[in-house]
Amino acid sequence: MNSTFTKILRLILALGLIVFGLNKFIGFMPMPELPTQAANFMSSLNATGYVLPIVGALEVIIGLLLLFNKAVPFALLLLVPISVNIVLFHLFMDLPDIWGALVIAIINAILIYKHWKLYRPLF
């Protein structure tokens, strides 16, 4: 569970989540040019006033839990619906930029697999 490979993946995932989560609050990275349908969807989420801040806060919290190696199995479970939605967003609305979403989802899946003994009682 604590191999060097697992630690590196955990840190990469943590840093990515913290950066992209903070970006939802601070906006230090410009929004890439999105197809019309995807841009409309993102502007609708932004117009609610609560969806993107909650997702951003969850990403930062999950990233910090992973970074400091606290409650990692719980953090990975919290990340599952977020990573699935990121992949689905890119799959249906922005396919050319799906690679980043796949990286997040694959790293999450690998880390869940590495902690599978802890999840077994759930099934």
Side-chain angles (χ1 to χ4, degrees):
M1 253 192 302
N2 284 323
S3 69
T4 303
F5 175 70
T6 304
K7 287 178 187 175
I8 291 170
L9 287 180
R10 183 175 47 82
L11 292 176
I12 290 170
L13 185 59
L15 293 175
L17 288 170
I18 291 169
V19 167
F20 287 107
L22 286 175
N23 189 50
K24 289 179 178 61
F25 294 105
I26 302 170
F28 52 87
M29 292 186 309
M31 182 68 103
E33 190 67 31
L34 294 172
T36 305
Q37 185 180 14
N40 291 341
F41 179 74
M42 290 304 292
S43 65
S44 296
L45 289 179
N46 195 30
T48 65
Y50 71 92
V51 173
L52 291 181
I54 288 176
V55 172
L58 281 172
E59 287 176 354
V60 171
I61 291 167
I62 293 166
L64 290 173
L65 287 172
L66 293 173
L67 184 66
F68 294 117
N69 201 22
K70 301 292 181 190
V72 171
F74 175 66
L76 294 172
L77 278 183
L78 283 178
L79 184 56
V80 169
I82 295 171
S83 61
V84 167
N85 276 296
I86 294 170
V87 169
L88 290 174
F89 169 81
H90 285 286
L91 184 65
F92 289 104
M93 294 188 210
D94 190 22
L95 191 57
D97 293 330
I98 197 168
W99 300 110
L102 289 176
V103 167
I104 296 292
I106 290 169
I107 292 175
N108 193 21
I110 291 170
L111 291 175
I112 285 174
Y113 175 75
K114 293 287 186 177
H115 291 86
W116 189 252
K117 282 188 253 181
L118 299 171
Y119 298 121
R120 193 171 301 269
L122 297 174
F123 301 100

